[in-house]
Amino acid sequence: MYSKKIHLKKATYFLLISVTAFVFSCKDSKEKINLKKGQELFTSVGCATCHSLSGDKDKLYGPSLNAILGTKTKVIRNNKEYSFFIDRNYIKKSIIDPDYEKPLLFKSNKMPKPSLTNFEVECITDYLISINNKSIE
């Protein structure tokens, strides 16, 4: 009887580990799919036309987006200058409403307002965050 309890505990433990691993692998797969979707959208909706992901200065109608996360930036909002550190919320807001505030160096440039779903905005944001995380490492 005692050995059956031990085997049951081992089986339960194994099942718990297996389910946990499956859940995390699904999460990783979903994140990879979202990053791939974000990369595709970055190109298909026209972001890559004006923004570089490599710091390439030849294509800069808009700011380069590869090393911006956590950097201090200056923007114009309602004709006033503000400074802050770029984070996920700023990136997302810039995609949703590009006219809300403009990077100081690009204040006279007009970014089109793309027609995107919330999911698409999240995918592009996640993609840009991933690009920035790679440039930090």
Side-chain angles (χ1 to χ4, degrees):
M1 178 91 154
Y2 182 70
S3 85
K4 285 185 180 180
K5 285 184 179 179
I6 290 175
H7 287 298
L8 185 58
K9 284 183 179 181
K10 285 182 179 178
T12 303
Y13 179 74
F14 178 75
L15 181 62
L16 179 64
I17 295 296
S18 298
V19 168
T20 302
F22 176 75
V23 168
F24 280 110
S25 71
C26 287
K27 183 181 177 211
D28 288 346
S29 295
K30 183 180 175 190
E31 287 175 5
K32 287 178 184 173
I33 291 168
N34 289 357
L35 291 178
K36 179 83 171 142
K37 178 76 173 169
Q39 182 179 23
E40 291 168 0
L41 285 165
F42 186 82
T43 302
S44 68
V45 299
C47 307
T49 304
C50 300
H51 297 280
S52 168
L53 293 177
S54 64
D56 183 8
K57 304 276 189 227
D58 293 337
K59 172 190 311 202
L60 292 181
Y61 182 78
S64 179
L65 302 177
N66 67 309
I68 59 170
L69 193 61
T71 62
K72 192 170 188 177
T73 190
K74 292 181 180 183
V75 298
I76 298 292
R77 182 184 334 131
N78 298 326
N79 295 320
K80 291 185 180 178
E81 189 175 309
Y82 296 89
S83 293
F84 56 87
F85 291 96
I86 295 176
D87 62 3
R88 177 184 183 79
N89 291 331
Y90 172 76
I91 293 170
K92 188 174 174 180
K93 179 72 173 168
S94 296
I95 296 168
I96 294 170
D97 187 4
D99 291 327
Y100 176 68
E101 54 196 13
K102 297 279 194 177
L104 192 59
L105 297 174
F106 298 92
K107 66 182 178 184
S108 61
N109 296 3
K110 178 83 171 142
M111 179 175 148
K113 187 173 183 177
S115 177
L116 299 168
T117 66
N118 287 337
F119 173 71
E120 291 170 328
V121 169
E122 288 294 332
C123 288
I124 294 172
T125 302
D126 289 343
Y127 173 63
L128 292 174
I129 295 292
S130 77
I131 293 294
N132 278 267
N133 286 341
K134 287 178 185 172
S135 66
I136 291 172
E137 294 173 352

